[in-house]
Amino acid sequence: QDVAVRRDFLTAALHSSFPISTAGDGVARTICALPIPNAGVSGLEDEILAAVLGHACHVVALMAKYATVALRFQPVPLGSRSCMRDRTVPLHPARASTRTRDGNDFPLYVKGQDRMRVQVALEMLSADVQQLLAAHGVPRAN
C-alpha cells in the first residue's frame, strides 16, 4: 500500500512538473504550454517540436519507472535532443567496440536529422505510450 501511495504522489508531482492540458480550441493538447502535434513532424518550428517531444519523452520515461513497466523502446530524455533507443536490434559489430549506439538511437528532433529516423522515433514513442496506457487498463485510442 505504501508503494501505491508513493506512486500516486510521484505521478501527481509529474503532472504538476509537466502539465498536459487541452488547448483553447478544446481539441488540441499542450505540454508545458507547448502544442503537441497531432501527426508527423510538420507544422511546428523545429526547436519547439524538439522541446515538446523532449518533454513527452521525459514523461514517458518517468511514468514507466514509477509504474514499473518495462517499455519495448527505451526513451532517452535529453531535453530538446531526446531520442528513442531500440534495444531489440543488436549493436553493429563495428560500433560494439566503441559502445556507441547511434544506429540504435532515433532522434526526437528534426534539425540536422533524417526525417525517416525521426518518424521512426515518433512511432516508437507512440508505441511506448500505448504500452503504458494498456498497462493501466486504458482502452486503445484510434
Side-chain angles (χ1 to χ4, degrees):
Q1 183 178 358
D2 290 338
V3 172
V5 171
R6 182 74 174 151
R7 183 178 55 231
D8 291 345
F9 172 78
L10 291 171
T11 303
L14 185 60
H15 180 68
S16 66
S17 298
F18 294 95
I20 298 173
S21 58
T22 304
D25 65 3
V27 178
R29 300 267 185 209
T30 64
I31 184 167
C32 297
L34 296 172
I36 299 173
N38 287 333
V41 294
S42 60
L44 288 178
E45 292 179 31
D46 290 351
E47 290 304 315
I48 292 174
L49 179 65
V52 168
L53 295 176
H55 290 326
C57 179
H58 203 161
V59 168
V60 168
L62 290 174
M63 283 299 297
K65 184 175 183 172
Y66 299 161
T68 61
V69 174
L71 297 172
R72 178 172 180 203
F73 304 108
Q74 179 184 359
V76 182
L78 299 169
S80 64
R81 295 299 177 253
S82 297
C83 63
M84 296 297 293
R85 181 167 292 151
D86 187 356
R87 296 176 293 196
T88 63
V89 178
L91 286 175
H92 187 276
R95 296 185 189 275
S97 62
T98 60
R99 297 224 179 260
T100 61
R101 295 188 163 274
D102 294 343
N104 295 48
D105 288 352
F106 294 83
L108 286 168
Y109 56 95
V110 176
K111 190 173 184 175
Q113 300 299 317
D114 175 14
R115 287 195 179 262
M116 288 302 295
R117 290 182 64 78
V118 175
Q119 189 61 41
V120 169
L122 288 173
E123 292 169 9
M124 295 165 105
L125 182 62
S126 178
D128 280 355
V129 169
Q130 291 298 326
Q131 185 180 348
L132 278 171
L133 292 174
H136 287 88
V138 178
R140 183 179 172 96
N142 294 331

